[in-house]
Amino acid sequence: MALGIFALMTSELLPVGLLTPVGSDLAVSDGTAGLMLTAPGLVAAASAPVVTVVAAGVDRRVLLAALIGVMAAANLVCAAAPHFAVLLAARLAIGVSIGGFWAIAGGLAVRLVPAEHVPLATSIVFGGVSTASLVGVPAGTLIGDLGGWRAAFAAVGVLGLAALAALLVLVPPLPSRGALSFRELPGLLRRNTGVRVGVIITFLLITGHFAAYTFVRPVPREAAGVDDDALIGGLLMAYGAAGIAGNFVAGSRLAAHLRGTLAAICTGLAAVTALFALLGTAPVTAPVTASALLVAWGLVYGGVSVSLQTWMLKAARDASEAASSLFVAAFNLSIALGALVGGATVDGLAATDVLWVAGSLALVAAATVATFRTPL
């Protein structure tokens, strides 16, 4: 399941590292190319609760296999797409897979391992989310640099097929354990303050992050003069390595210091994006400074997914599947909105301005965490 989530989230975020070559090859602007993130993000946000409710009676292994199969096929279509419209249509199918798979897989670790191993199993499953942006995207960017952006989409399609085979062979049957109605989702959001605050923090933090991260390729080029595609690919790999470290650091602190860890992450993201905007454009040192700040960005962002998911599960211990679907919907809607806001900013103002958008929203998220005092 971790491999499946890794493949799905890598697929969703892959355009981050391929934005410029895809736009150039298919004759669209960077802002328009950003729709490759906006469109599937919106679909994933809607499909998370819809798939959870509509397919409530389907065996979970069968459902996960079907969703990952759709993702694999859609990426192969992207690899062969002759026009941007075809690519965008395939990205919509990927959005359905992302939202449904992530929402369902989130609550299954408890059914796969003994009780004493559930925390570790859950962290491994959700590690696929953070690892996608921290490793999958840089790897996809590197493949794109070496073999072209079509090769990168094809590689993710093949990865999806591998995940499909692993699900069918290694995961046992997982019959549904009951129905979930659409009314339960807004009801949980309305009556549970912790869930509601978690959704707000997710919205602020992820929207801000992806307003800037979607354009992590053009930003170093415009702001700091880093115009070597191979160097940018290498920097994204360093970003990923730092992020893995950040994921483990945050994970080790969440049991005892959930609120403080999440507040520190929000504050750190606000600081690093502001410093990127201020120092990354300084003469002479711009490439070196921008490179160091990009790595720091990865280190801080590494703990975001596991921290937000832990917050939601602790806030709704007896409604984990419903809380997961709300979290996935908020997370993916925020990716879409962030890409949309970032695209409008890049096209209408300047690439560096997306850093200020990211920093401002992260700062508001930090204030939201700090003011929430209800125990989880």
Side-chain angles (χ1 to χ4, degrees), residues 12-92:
E12 180 174 19
L13 302 178
L14 187 62
V16 168
L18 304 175
L19 206 66
T20 302
V22 170
S24 177
D25 193 30
L26 299 181
V28 296
S29 69
D30 282 344
T32 300
L35 291 173
M36 290 187 291
L37 271 174
T38 303
L42 290 172
V43 173
S47 68
V50 170
V51 170
T52 301
V53 173
V54 172
V58 179
D59 182 287
R60 277 18 205 163
R61 181 183 65 166
V62 173
L63 181 57
L64 294 180
L67 290 168
I68 201 74
V70 169
M71 182 280 288
N75 271 291
L76 295 177
V77 171
C78 288
H83 306 291
F84 185 72
V86 175
L87 190 152
L88 198 59
R91 297 286 298 168
L92 295 179

Side-chain angles (χ1 to χ4, degrees), residues 183-269:
R183 287 181 297 179
E184 292 180 54
L185 300 178
L188 178 63
L189 192 62
R190 188 169 50 251
R191 69 176 181 270
N192 190 311
T193 304
V195 168
R196 190 164 59 249
V197 171
V199 168
I200 293 171
I201 296 168
T202 300
F203 175 79
L204 291 168
L205 201 57
I206 304 306
T207 298
H209 173 74
F210 279 96
Y213 184 69
T214 301
F215 302 93
V216 72
R217 190 158 188 154
V219 164
R221 178 178 289 110
E222 179 177 319
V226 181
D227 55 4
D228 186 320
D229 286 341
L231 176 58
I232 291 177
L235 286 175
L236 288 176
M237 289 295 288
Y239 172 101
I244 292 174
N247 180 61
F248 282 109
V249 171
S252 67
R253 293 180 52 82
L254 290 175
H257 306 287
L258 173 57
R259 193 192 317 274
T261 300
L262 188 53
I265 288 171
C266 296
T267 305
L269 284 173

Side-chain angles (χ1 to χ4, degrees), residues 124-167:
I124 290 172
V125 169
F126 284 102
V129 178
S130 56
T131 307
S133 60
L134 305 173
V135 175
V137 172
T141 301
L142 190 58
I143 292 172
D145 289 338
L146 296 175
W149 63 268
R150 295 182 187 277
F153 279 108
V156 177
V158 172
L159 179 64
L161 293 176
L164 170 60
L167 279 167

